[in-house]
Amino acid sequence: MTASIDTPAGRIPCVSSSLNFQDRLGTAKVRAGIGRNSYMVDPGLYALGQPDTDSPVLISANYKMSFDNLREALPGRNAWILVLDTNGINVWCAAGKGTFGTDELVGRIEECGLRSLVNHRRVIVPQLGAAGISAHEAQRLSGFKITYGPIRAADLPEFMDSDHKARPEMREKTFSTTERLALVPVELVHALKTLFFIFPSLLILGGLAGTDGLRASVALGLLDTAGLMFGILAGCVITPLLLPWLPGRAFAAKGIPPGIACALLFLFLFLPAASEIKLGALATSAWLLIIPAVSAYLAMNFTGCSTFTSLSGVKNEMRIAVPVEIGAVAAGVILLAVSRFLF
Amino acid sequence: MGKLVYLKDVVTLGLDGEKCSGCGMCAVVCPRAVFEISGRRAAIIDRDSCMECGACALNCPTKALHVKTGVGCATAVINSLLGIKTSGCDCTIDQYQTGDTGSPAAGSNCK
């Protein structure tokens, strides 16, 4: 916030189109999964540049990254930004939940006195917000025409300069390598967090099996942890990055080849220590089941991050994938247990 | 790299050509280029690309489109089945409260 201006709609805070160090640090943190649930701006009106009664009104969500993305895309422009209350969720997800919705938009327009602020009767809503907003309903209720802007904020200047016409590419959601890469850290953090919680039980299991003293027990526990980490590497990093090129359409299926590759890598790296940590034929086959299954499961969960999966499809995929994943992990655990307790 | 497409023949999207006025809103809001407007009528030209977000049905002024909306997220389905309210990305959209004609999913406990 740089200052504020007085308008017929009250005092409105001014914001800049350039992000400072604090903003960039905030983005980096939420990308890494830190404080994502409380990264918010206050709902309401903001002035970007020196807007007047003819300036465009852009609608955003109160997730700070959504808001920052929008203002960063508009250097040297004058516009009003109307931030809806989406509980700190981005536009697309909030539209899916209905919080970025017709009622909130109409209510916010009314509450913020948009009518007395601008002469025109048009608001620009991000296209991905259309899953929550009914343009004709919102217009009927608010008197403002809803114009759907491009998907990417970066395309807004061109969109506004060309009489609110979007090229077809501006209307299609992509899922490029860069976009997928940006999602990897947060997925990794979530998976490692789960691993952290089951780590003590892995150590205890190692201890139960270790008949050769404490050192061997700890080694077994660490080996199991390392094995699961290879599954996480396959499902949370390699599968998302190679997504378009992996065979199959179901995400779980796409997770299997990286899972097998990582299982082989894991076995290759830890085979030299086999004599000390009991990595026999049974344990080898166990890991060939567990790592690909973990990878397939995590890959399946990447559907939620992706930009092209349907709920019908996900349910379809899960009907087969979930039993297979559970079965493979269970079989693997039994094989591991047999290899450790009976031999 | 071509367009990424999910499973074949699974989506619930349907168009009632009789009701369509050809306004073109579905083609504007669809982020997956599923529709094409030709001869003052909308047509589904790439059904498998649909991800059931419901934007088209919600923005169709003549209610010519219907789709069972939802979010294609396995984590949300699992959370919903297990009754977990916050986990993973804290998204627990109730997959079974979604409307039939494009009303947005009722969110629950989204922080």
Side-chain angles (χ1 to χ4, degrees):
Chain A
M1 308 299 144
T2 45
S4 62
I5 50 170
D6 288 310
T7 72
R11 180 163 288 194
I12 295 174
C14 299
V15 290
S16 161
S17 65
S18 55
L19 304 190
N20 60 27
F21 175 74
Q22 208 71 29
D23 300 326
R24 293 191 194 281
L25 182 70
T27 301
K29 277 167 74 178
V30 293
R31 284 292 191 194
I34 304 165
R36 273 166 101 221
N37 296 328
S38 53
Y39 197 53
M40 302 183 195
V41 290
D42 290 329
L45 271 167
Y46 294 84
L48 182 75
Q50 267 105 40
D52 57 26
T53 50
D54 295 319
S55 298
V57 178
L58 305 165
I59 310 295
S60 188
N62 80 323
Y63 182 44
K64 190 168 181 298
M65 206 188 338
S66 304
F67 182 68
D68 284 356
N69 242 326
L70 174 60
R71 61 193 178 97
E72 196 187 14
L74 300 164
R77 301 259 168 177
N78 302 319
W80 301 106
I81 298 177
L82 181 62
V83 173
L84 305 190
D85 185 1
T86 59
N87 302 317
I89 304 285
N90 69 70
V91 172
W92 201 7
C93 291
K97 293 170 205 293
T99 47
F100 189 99
T102 309
D103 292 348
E104 168 65 17
L105 174 64
V106 171
R108 197 62 57 182
I109 287 174
E110 191 64 38
E111 194 184 307
C112 292
L114 201 59
R115 213 173 279 278
S116 59
L117 183 68
V118 290
N119 290 333
H120 62 83
R121 290 290 175 265
R122 184 209 290 271
V123 293
I124 300 175
V125 174
Q127 186 190 330
L128 291 181
I133 285 174
S134 173
H136 53 278
E137 274 296 295
Q139 178 167 11
R140 188 175 66 78
L141 295 168
S142 71
F144 279 79
K145 180 180 163 55
I146 313 301
T147 298
Y148 286 113
I151 287 178
R152 283 165 297 270
D155 290 329
L156 261 174
E158 188 188 331
F159 176 80
M160 293 194 290
D161 291 345
S162 53
D163 199 23
H164 301 100
K165 294 274 185 298
R167 284 182 287 112
E169 307 89 80
M170 293 184 190
R171 295 246 173 259
E172 209 171 329
K173 184 76 192 93
T174 54
F175 202 35
S176 67
T177 306
T178 320
E179 287 169 314
R180 297 195 306 278
L181 185 64
L183 298 169
V184 166
V186 74
E187 288 301 287
L188 208 51
V189 167
H190 280 313
L192 290 175
K193 227 183 252 175
T194 309
L195 184 60
F196 179 79
F197 283 115
I198 59 172
F199 179 63
S201 45
L202 293 176
L203 278 183
I204 291 166
L205 284 175
L208 290 177
T211 46
D212 313 325
L214 185 68
R215 206 170 151 266
S217 305
V218 173
L220 271 180
L222 291 177
L223 177 78
D224 293 345
T225 309
L228 292 177
M229 278 183 170
F230 274 77
I232 291 172
L233 172 73
C236 285
V237 182
I238 300 175
T239 306
L241 291 183
L242 297 183
L243 199 71
W245 303 284
L246 289 167
R249 288 190 175 217
F251 278 42
K254 286 176 179 289
I256 293 172
I260 291 173
C262 283
L264 293 174
L265 182 66
F266 168 73
L267 292 168
F268 172 77
L269 289 174
F270 288 90
L271 265 182
S275 57
E276 195 182 339
I277 50 183
K278 302 183 181 179
L279 200 64
L282 280 177
T284 303
S285 22
W287 285 114
L288 279 171
L289 284 168
I290 295 172
I291 295 175
V294 168
S295 176
Y297 176 78
L298 293 170
M300 183 183 85
N301 281 284
F302 195 67
T303 49
C305 296
S306 82
T307 59
F308 62 98
T309 54
S310 60
L311 177 58
S312 299
V314 166
K315 283 182 176 172
N316 208 291
E317 161 165 359
M318 288 178 75
R319 264 193 286 275
I320 301 166
V322 172
V324 172
E325 287 156 4
I326 292 173
V329 169
V333 170
I334 290 167
L335 284 175
L336 266 189
V338 169
S339 78
R340 285 175 190 176
F341 292 107
L342 300 185
F343 293 95
Chain B
M1 190 180 80
K3 189 176 185 177
L4 284 160
V5 183
Y6 195 39
L7 307 183
K8 272 183 194 168
D9 299 328
V10 288
V11 296
T12 52
L13 176 71
L15 166 69
D16 183 348
E18 294 291 299
K19 289 187 187 167
C20 176
S21 69
C23 74
M25 272 306 271
C26 50
V28 168
V29 297
C30 179
R32 298 281 299 151
V34 167
F35 303 98
E36 196 178 73
I37 313 296
S38 57
R40 311 254 335 130
R41 280 282 166 87
I44 296 172
I45 54 160
D46 187 7
R47 199 160 170 277
D48 288 338
S49 278
C50 171
M51 54 180 176
E52 302 179 324
C53 72
C56 56
L58 192 59
N59 283 277
C60 177
T62 56
K63 294 187 166 62
L65 284 155
H66 54 91
V67 60
K68 206 168 173 339
T69 55
V71 177
C73 172
T75 312
V77 174
I78 292 168
N79 287 345
S80 165
L81 289 174
L82 298 179
I84 297 171
K85 290 296 180 193
T86 52
S87 147
C89 63
D90 293 305
C91 178
T92 47
I93 289 172
D94 195 328
Q95 308 290 358
Y96 304 99
Q97 284 180 6
T98 58
D100 214 13
T101 47
S103 60
S108 60
N109 254 46
C110 295
K111 282 199 70 187

